[in-house]
Amino acid sequence: MADSGPILVTGAAGQLGAVGRTVTGLLLERGLPVRAMVRREDDRAAALRAAGAEVMVGDLLEPADVYRVVSGCRRVYFGMSVSAGYLEATVIMAAVAREVGVNALINMSQLTVSQMSIQNTTPSPQQRQHWLSEQALGWSGLPVVTIRPTVFLEGFFLRFAGPTVRDRGRIEVPFGRGKTSPVAAADVARVVAAVLADPGPHLGRVYELTGPRSQDMHGVAREYSDALNREVTYYDIPPEAWERELKREGLPEHLTRHLVTMAELHRAGRYDRLADGVERVTGRPAMSVRDFVTLHADEFGGRRS
Ligand SMILES: NC(=O)c1ccc[n+]([C@@H]2O[C@H](COP(=O)([O-])OP(=O)(O)OC[C@H]3O[C@@H](n4cnc5c(N)ncnc54)[C@H](OP(=O)(O)O)[C@@H]3O)[C@@H](O)[C@H]2O)c1
């Protein structure tokens, strides 16, 4: 089968980690043609088009949309924001990819799936859906590459920690004494782009991705302090108070249950893990917390001179 046509990147507008948006940019930099799938026409879609991508609008939960968008593509990155329809979207993508006949499907998953089995799932509906999605893609017989990152730096460590580090010099998350090894979405995107550029050697593989160090939140806070040149401490916020705050913010139930489970698993030591997938695939080590905070210093209230 000829391997021509653009590379499809779903979820390309970008919300939290924006892996799809970064992957699009990295592939375009390599001179590869990219079809970027977005949910709606907006500034993000215009920026992708301006960067050189072919932008197509569609809903990953609508089979006809997915068929229209996948047709003509031989390599696909499949990822979308954490949401209740994730498993359905995966199965729609699998059905379409089989019909169209793709040569590589790069599936975004989660590292917690490595700890899951029929007898051992988690209360997170998102993690359960990733586990089931991986099963379904296995049954599909498609040429799949599975990407399993641990927690992204962009969520708990930037979006949630940003305002409290800025206002009080504190990271307030309910992670107890658990260790963690967060990874930057930019590193995850580098892995996905490298695989999409030359999928052959990676087909059938599972890549586990973490940052370079697993440490407790006091260790993480020290890296913030070094990056910002001021004291940042960790405050182990009571889980119930934190959950109440999430609910007050009106996040969807699916996302709230996922976040609450991630915090629970952190407290249980289940995020204490190290994997070398970033370096193995890209040849460069994963970004440290310190480098990530330095890069985003403005969002944490800036670096003291
Ligand atoms: N955050 C973490 O700590 C973490 C860790 C490991 C793995 N992951 C996995 O990474 C993935 C999320 O990646 P990400 O952060 O790069 O995603 P993201 O930036 O949050 O979202 C990507 C895009 O998906 C689009 N989307 C959502 N529903 C759609 C639909 N029905 N049809 C078409 N597009 C849709 C959104 O469009 P709009 O913006 O227009 O709504 C969004 O721009 C998930 O699979 C998650 O489980 C996350």
Side-chain angles (χ1 to χ4, degrees), residues 1-302:
M1 187 183 303
D3 197 0
S4 59
I7 299 172
L8 175 62
V9 176
T10 69
Q15 241 178 54
L16 184 88
V19 171
R21 185 170 68 217
T22 309
V23 166
T24 300
L26 291 170
L27 294 175
L28 291 171
E29 273 171 26
R30 289 177 186 235
L32 294 164
V34 182
R35 179 176 295 170
M37 182 185 184
V38 298
R39 206 172 0 188
R40 61 184 78 95
E41 278 294 350
D42 59 14
D43 291 354
R44 299 171 303 170
L48 289 164
R49 204 172 276 119
E54 173 197 3
V55 176
M56 285 180 72
V57 177
D59 184 346
L60 285 162
L61 289 164
E62 278 298 332
D65 285 7
V66 178
Y67 182 74
R68 179 173 48 81
V69 169
V70 175
S71 292
C73 296
R74 294 285 171 254
R75 304 176 193 175
V76 176
Y77 163 68
F78 174 70
M80 65 186 235
S81 40
V82 170
S83 48
Y86 214 101
L87 176 60
E88 189 178 342
T90 308
V91 175
I92 291 170
M93 176 56 80
V96 170
R98 278 170 59 96
E99 176 76 17
V100 170
V102 305
N103 295 347
L105 177 64
I106 319 309
N107 177 45
M108 175 56 67
S109 186
Q110 293 201 357
L111 188 44
T112 302
V113 171
S114 299
Q115 306 166 339
M116 292 169 77
S117 65
I118 289 170
Q119 307 270 21
N120 187 12
T121 56
T122 78
S124 157
Q126 182 71 19
Q127 289 169 344
R128 286 172 178 232
Q129 292 198 22
H130 275 304
W131 180 73
L132 281 168
S133 294
E134 286 198 23
Q135 305 277 311
L137 288 173
W139 306 328
S140 75
L142 284 161
V144 173
V145 182
T146 306
I147 309 294
R148 289 186 189 157
T150 190
V151 59
F152 288 178
L153 278 159
E154 282 72 6
F156 285 95
F157 301 87
L158 177 61
R159 189 167 292 186
F160 287 163
T164 60
V165 169
R166 198 169 50 229
D167 298 345
R168 310 190 264 287
R170 287 202 324 206
I171 308 169
E172 301 180 1
V173 289
F175 286 179
R177 299 165 65 182
K179 291 186 177 179
T180 189
S181 54
V183 66
D187 283 331
V188 177
R190 287 197 302 114
V191 169
V192 172
V195 172
L196 283 167
D198 181 20
H202 304 286
L203 295 179
R205 299 223 166 137
V206 175
Y207 288 111
E208 299 184 329
L209 313 179
T210 71
R213 196 167 301 121
S214 186
Q215 58 191 335
D216 68 14
M217 287 301 299
H218 296 294
V220 170
R222 278 193 292 279
E223 292 207 48
Y224 277 64
S225 304
D226 289 346
L228 299 174
N229 201 30
R230 58 189 156 90
E231 191 182 31
V232 176
T233 55
Y234 166 50
Y235 174 66
D236 183 17
I237 188 168
E240 304 74 25
W242 182 73
E243 192 174 337
R244 271 199 304 278
E245 187 53 39
L246 288 184
K247 293 204 166 123
R248 232 194 328 269
E249 283 179 25
L251 297 183
E253 174 67 12
H254 176 93
L255 180 56
T256 302
R257 282 177 57 207
H258 177 53
L259 294 170
V260 166
T261 302
M262 287 175 83
E264 258 170 45
L265 295 181
H266 266 94
R267 290 196 297 281
R270 293 265 299 271
Y271 275 79
D272 179 11
R273 47 208 187 183
L274 268 185
D276 63 353
V278 172
E279 185 154 9
R280 208 144 44 89
V281 176
T282 69
R284 260 173 47 201
M287 195 184 295
S288 66
V289 171
R290 181 188 167 145
D291 288 347
F292 178 84
V293 174
T294 300
L295 209 60
H296 293 272
D298 287 350
E299 290 156 88
F300 295 109

